[in-house]
Amino acid sequence: MASVTSATSAAAGELTAELRGFREVQRLAYDCAEAVAAQLKPGVTERAAARMQREWLRERGVRDWFHLPFAWFGDRTAFVNFRVPLQFFPTNRELEPGMAFILDMAPVHNGFTADIGYSGCLGLNPVHDRLLADLEAHRELILREVRERRPLREIYEDVDRLMVRQGYANRHRAYPFGVIAHKIDRVRQRRWSPTLFGFGTQSLKGLASDALHGHRDGWSPLWSPYTFSDHPPQPGLWAVEPHLGFRGTGAKFEEILVVTDSKDPQESAFWLDDDLPHVRRWQEEKAA
């Protein structure tokens, strides 16, 4: 991905055409999350919320996925008692007043991929509000330490330590391989785009190819707490998702972090877009 790995002034707002493509699909996914969240009401199930996301995106031209949409309600937002991957799939859990929810989707549109996570609650939930507010410090820490070219495994451990200081549990550790992030890339468009266990086969092929090349060169497309992530940030696009949990309530964001090979710290890494729901919320809270 030459437009990402070469020095760029994108951090100053001048995105390349390729990065604009990724930003557009990420915004499309967040628009979907906000539209579906606005329609949620008591009695809606996780399966219905996931279907609403699929239908909204398909109406806007999405035909392929990194993974199909997920929805988690209540204590499932904190992955309480999750032991096997099948537990991540949407269930018949119904939304109730005051209940936290997470919508998570990874559409592919015009060959560009996004993977986003949107946290909300149905009505008032002070615990959820606190979790969402405290995620801002994680976004700042991750960007700062990626720019310092710290090993991914060390950054993961620093995120863990920050969560402990805040009084929270690390819930992204419940994901397969305990990942806090994974690389994403362009996906070749095809007329038929099958899925396997909820993941798009084209995207899985790309991730497997990255894993093969990375293994040979000493890096991994999965950002985890394990030794295979004990390397500096690899240039490219990373879908990053710090996930906090507290007494049966979880909250996270997920968005694209751009890593380049630029020697300029400001351009060596930057969040692809600062006009996202969680960022706007933090800005509004500061202004208030």
Side-chain angles (χ1 to χ4, degrees):
M1 188 181 295
S3 60
V4 173
T5 56
S6 60
T8 173
S9 59
E14 300 175 16
L15 294 183
T16 64
E18 180 139 310
L19 289 179
R20 284 197 300 272
F22 284 101
R23 185 181 64 179
E24 287 168 7
V25 70
Q26 180 170 263
R27 286 187 175 181
L28 180 70
Y30 266 110
D31 287 347
C32 173
E34 290 190 298
V36 171
Q39 299 176 57
L40 296 180
K41 57 186 179 181
V44 171
T45 66
E46 290 178 347
R47 286 194 175 113
R51 184 174 64 252
M52 291 161 70
Q53 294 171 68
R54 288 197 306 272
E55 292 174 350
W56 193 97
L57 288 166
R58 281 174 176 156
E59 287 172 1
R60 287 153 182 84
V62 171
R63 295 293 179 268
D64 196 6
W65 311 85
F66 181 83
H67 67 69
L68 292 169
F70 294 101
W72 303 300
F73 295 167
D75 63 3
R76 285 174 51 78
T77 61
F79 300 157
V80 172
N81 296 323
F82 278 31
R83 298 286 184 268
V84 296
L86 288 176
Q87 290 176 285
F88 288 95
F89 288 93
T91 69
N92 286 322
R93 168 71 65 87
E94 294 184 356
L95 194 61
E96 300 173 8
M99 186 177 275
F101 61 83
I102 295 176
L103 306 178
D104 187 305
M105 67 197 85
V108 177
H109 189 48
N110 294 328
F112 297 98
T113 310
D115 194 349
I116 71 107
Y118 177 92
S119 294
C121 57
L122 192 65
L124 298 177
N125 187 320
V127 171
H128 172 267
D129 290 347
R130 185 71 257 170
L131 286 164
L132 199 53
D134 286 343
L135 276 167
E136 183 179 13
H138 292 275
R139 192 176 190 262
E140 294 170 351
L141 180 151
I142 289 166
L143 178 60
R144 181 176 65 253
E145 297 198 354
V146 168
R147 285 176 169 173
E148 293 170 356
R149 291 296 191 254
R150 300 274 300 281
L152 294 182
R153 189 182 182 194
E154 288 185 15
I155 302 174
Y156 192 109
E157 292 168 350
D158 286 344
V159 170
D160 250 1
R161 281 189 279 268
L162 176 55
M163 290 183 180
V164 170
R165 291 198 300 273
Q166 293 173 324
Y168 302 133
N170 174 343
R171 299 317 303 142
H172 48 264
R173 194 176 284 272
Y175 288 104
F177 305 105
V179 298
I180 190 175
H182 58 84
K183 281 197 79 191
I184 59 173
D185 211 331
R186 293 288 298 270
V187 174
R188 183 177 299 176
Q189 291 184 283
R190 294 184 181 274
R191 184 170 299 177
W192 185 54
S193 303
T195 59
L196 180 67
F197 301 113
F199 286 79
T201 56
Q202 288 297 109
S203 296
L204 287 176
K205 286 179 184 177
L207 196 62
S209 176
D210 268 351
L212 181 61
H213 294 147
H215 180 71
R216 288 200 298 257
D217 297 335
W219 61 272
S220 170
L222 302 179
W223 182 344
S224 82
Y226 303 112
T227 54
F228 60 75
S229 292
D230 207 1
H231 60 80
Q234 179 73 11
L237 304 184
W238 294 81
V240 184
E241 51 181 332
H243 192 154
L244 310 180
F246 182 76
R247 296 181 182 175
T249 300
K252 72 168 185 172
F253 67 79
E254 185 173 11
E255 57 173 304
I256 296 173
L257 178 69
V258 183
V259 179
T260 79
D261 58 7
S262 173
K263 303 302 182 184
D264 183 333
Q266 297 299 312
E267 295 183 359
S268 65
F270 52 91
W271 295 107
L272 180 59
D273 194 357
D274 283 324
D275 189 17
L276 299 177
H278 49 283
V279 181
R280 291 196 298 267
R281 176 177 174 138
W282 296 330
Q283 292 169 342
E284 291 165 1
E285 288 172 348
K286 288 176 182 175

